[in-house]
Amino acid sequence: GDSVTQMEGPVTLSEEAFLTINCTYTATGYPSLFWYVQYPGEGLQLLLKATKADDKGSNKGFEATYRKETTSFHLEKGSVQVSDSAVYFCALLFNTGGFKTIFGAGTRLFVKA
Amino acid sequence: GAVVSQHPSWVICKSGTSVKIECRSLDFQATTMFWYRQFPKQSLMLMATSNEGSKATYEQGVEKDKFLINHASLTLSTLTVTSAHPEDSSFYNCSAERAEAADTQYFGPGTRLTVL
């Protein structure tokens, strides 16, 4: 079945470091791919998305490219800030007669000043 | 735009009581709303999908008689946890999708349920 696998956390970085959070998926068909962010005590917020192969989603300095050949959607940011500390979820949306989202397990990011 | 609210944000109840959680789309009409459960430090698990005016579709393993979902209008869905027990303690999250952009979900802030 369809699934999403993302790297385990926590990931701890110093401010201004480069961030990569890996995400790979298995899916039949052509799903849309998403990254959501959850700040402490809050609900999920959509960070970025890509709907087809080779699309790049970007927002707030974060980027992810839909790679069909490697079935990946890795999240990157060139210079993280303390305020980026949160849990990041990779997700896959597929249509089975209605849209359904599958989430990865989440990766917690700590950014130190 | 595309704001989703949940009420209450945190509820503590005694074992055996029922708790209702509301999910509202504040500035758009939501043809479909989703209910998720999130255990501490884990991912979201889809519980059910609700469409306005029809019965909810529950995921395998979710008891429909325990988790009652009502989607009475295009802006409101409710989840009622009946006869709650401590193992029902969790973070419950709803999301809503707009008819004109069905591939994007907008999440509410979540409701933390603690059953004593």
Side-chain angles (χ1 to χ4, degrees):
Chain A
D2 297 359
S3 66
V4 176
T5 302
Q6 60 182 106
M7 63 188 288
E8 286 190 31
V11 173
T12 302
L13 296 174
S14 298
E15 209 165 22
E16 299 184 3
F18 184 85
L19 168 71
T20 300
I21 300 178
N22 290 336
C23 172
T24 57
Y25 67 91
T26 57
T28 53
Y30 303 97
S32 295
L33 301 174
F34 300 79
W35 277 100
Y36 288 88
V37 58
Q38 185 176 32
Y39 297 103
E42 299 183 16
L44 269 69
Q45 299 175 28
L46 177 64
L47 181 59
L48 53 84
K49 69 177 184 180
T51 58
K52 62 183 188 297
D54 299 326
D55 266 4
K56 176 186 283 188
S58 61
N59 185 25
K60 299 181 182 179
F62 291 89
E63 292 184 341
T65 301
Y66 190 143
R67 301 281 187 205
K68 193 169 186 298
E69 64 276 13
T70 55
T71 61
S72 65
F73 193 55
H74 304 323
L75 181 69
E76 296 182 337
K77 186 174 185 181
S79 176
V80 293
Q81 305 300 312
V82 173
S83 57
D84 294 326
S85 298
V87 181
Y88 293 82
F89 292 93
C90 185
L92 175 160
L93 178 78
F94 60 101
N95 193 342
T96 60
F99 287 99
K100 189 173 288 189
T101 300
I102 294 177
F103 288 87
T107 301
R108 186 174 296 273
L109 170 67
F110 291 106
V111 180
K112 302 180 296 183
Chain B
V3 178
V4 175
S5 71
Q6 279 184 241
H7 177 81
S9 57
W10 195 353
V11 57
I12 301 173
C13 69
K14 291 183 179 179
S15 186
T17 61
S18 294
V19 174
K20 180 184 285 188
I21 303 170
E22 293 186 348
C23 177
R24 292 182 185 273
S25 56
L26 299 185
D27 53 359
F28 67 99
Q29 293 187 328
T31 50
T32 303
M33 288 184 169
F34 303 87
W35 287 95
Y36 295 86
R37 184 170 178 177
Q38 185 179 19
F39 291 100
K41 298 184 180 180
Q42 294 187 31
S43 189
L44 282 77
M45 299 298 294
L46 180 65
M47 299 173 66
T49 303
S50 80
N51 293 293
E52 185 266 336
S54 62
K55 290 185 179 179
T57 302
Y58 290 80
E59 294 300 300
Q60 195 170 13
V62 178
E63 299 175 61
K64 59 182 67 175
D65 294 331
K66 180 165 186 64
F67 299 100
L68 300 177
I69 292 172
N70 184 281
H71 193 158
S73 76
L74 285 171
T75 59
L76 173 65
S77 177
T78 60
L79 166 69
T80 301
V81 183
T82 62
S83 186
H85 288 93
E87 58 266 28
D88 298 323
S89 299
S90 188
F91 197 74
Y92 291 87
N93 223 319
C94 76
S95 70
E97 66 179 33
R98 312 165 78 142
E100 61 271 25
D103 66 339
T104 299
Q105 293 184 44
Y106 300 94
F107 281 82
T111 296
R112 185 176 302 281
L113 170 63
T114 300
V115 184
L116 303 176

